[in-house]
Amino acid sequence: MQNFIDAYSWINLRYLLEGLWITIEVSVISIFFSFIIGTLLGIARYVKVKYFSAIVGFIIDLIRNLPLLLILFFTYFALPDIGIRLDVVTSSIVAMTIFESAMLAEIVRSGINAVSIGQMEASRSNGMSYYQTMRYIIMPQAFKKMIPPIVSQFISLVKDTSLATIILLPELTYHSQIIYGQNINYMIPMFVALAVMYFIVNFALSMASRMLEKRLAS
């Protein structure tokens, strides 16, 4: 018990919270950009524009089948070789945005495909353009179906920020490693603290998604 009391000193807790802030910052920015890019890529793959959709589909499949760790290595270690130098936070955001965009693109495409084709045909027969049909008829219905898998993907992204410790991103897991690296007796208390903090963030995301689902269903 004394190990827990000592491990949870204000200095250590403040240091963990600083790491948590970096985790949230990287996650929120990555979620924002990946949602926009993923939605556009998913629509681009759905509309089946000759050649373009095939190229987009190939890129999405390529990224989805690569480990996030490899993309992190590429953005931080390989890009400087071609003159693009990014700090560790920016590298992490870029890598996670690329990876999550590909994941979300497939979720968006599947969500749109889940909407009955009759919705498109009925809207077009009533004089709506393809753009109007997609914006006002198809996407609102598809978005309702996409909420659970999208939120699940966002939760995975928050947890995946811990992988960026490999490039020394000063996020939550990295800060905990620094603490128990100074005193091995703090290892278990730090693991408990990590579990609690990750749970709080991800549970908040889950609750927000449930509220959004209820609002859209009403």
Side-chain angles (χ1 to χ4, degrees), residues 168-202:
L168 304 183
L169 176 70
E171 47 76 65
L172 181 57
T173 302
Y174 180 79
H175 277 210
S176 73
Q177 291 174 346
I178 295 296
I179 293 173
Y180 69 69
Q182 297 173 348
N183 189 331
I184 195 64
N185 293 322
Y186 294 170
M187 179 177 289
I188 300 302
M190 287 301 105
F191 286 166
V192 172
L194 283 178
V196 171
M197 290 183 178
Y198 278 121
F199 173 79
I200 291 173
V201 173
N202 291 326

Side-chain angles (χ1 to χ4, degrees), residues 47-180:
V47 296
K48 294 181 174 60
V49 177
K50 189 175 182 180
Y51 301 125
F52 177 71
S53 294
I55 294 172
V56 170
F58 172 77
I59 294 173
I60 290 173
D61 289 338
L62 176 64
I63 294 173
R64 288 178 65 237
N65 287 284
L66 293 176
L68 175 57
L69 198 58
L70 180 61
I71 300 175
L72 281 166
F73 278 139
F74 179 82
T75 57
Y76 191 65
F77 294 112
L79 288 183
D81 289 340
I82 58 174
I84 303 175
R85 297 186 178 277
L86 304 175
D87 60 68
V88 65
V89 173
T90 305
S91 294
S92 301
I93 292 172
V94 170
M96 292 182 184
T97 298
I98 292 172
F99 185 76
E100 292 301 318
S101 294
M103 295 298 186
L104 290 175
E106 194 60 23
I107 293 174
V108 170
R109 185 189 67 82
S110 299
I112 297 174
N113 280 331
V115 178
S116 172
I117 190 65
Q119 298 283 336
M120 175 66 76
E121 295 171 350
S123 301
R124 296 303 300 275
S125 65
N126 285 324
M128 296 182 71
S129 67
Y130 186 86
Y131 170 77
Q132 290 173 325
T133 301
M134 287 293 295
R135 180 178 178 182
Y136 298 109
I137 305 298
I138 304 299
M139 289 306 296
Q141 296 182 67
F143 182 67
K144 292 179 183 180
K145 301 176 185 294
M146 289 187 282
I147 291 177
I150 285 177
V151 173
S152 178
Q153 195 60 46
F154 286 162
I155 289 174
S156 295
L157 184 150
V158 174
K159 292 183 290 187
D160 286 344
T161 56
S162 61
L163 292 175
T165 56
I166 201 70
I167 59 172
L168 304 183
L169 176 70
E171 47 76 65
L172 181 57
T173 302
Y174 180 79
H175 277 210
S176 73
Q177 291 174 346
I178 295 296
I179 293 173
Y180 69 69

Side-chain angles (χ1 to χ4, degrees), residues 18-36:
E18 290 173 0
L20 178 62
W21 173 250
I22 296 296
T23 293
I24 294 174
E25 180 184 17
V26 170
S27 298
V28 169
I29 296 174
S30 300
I31 286 171
F32 176 77
F33 285 111
S34 63
F35 180 75
I36 295 174

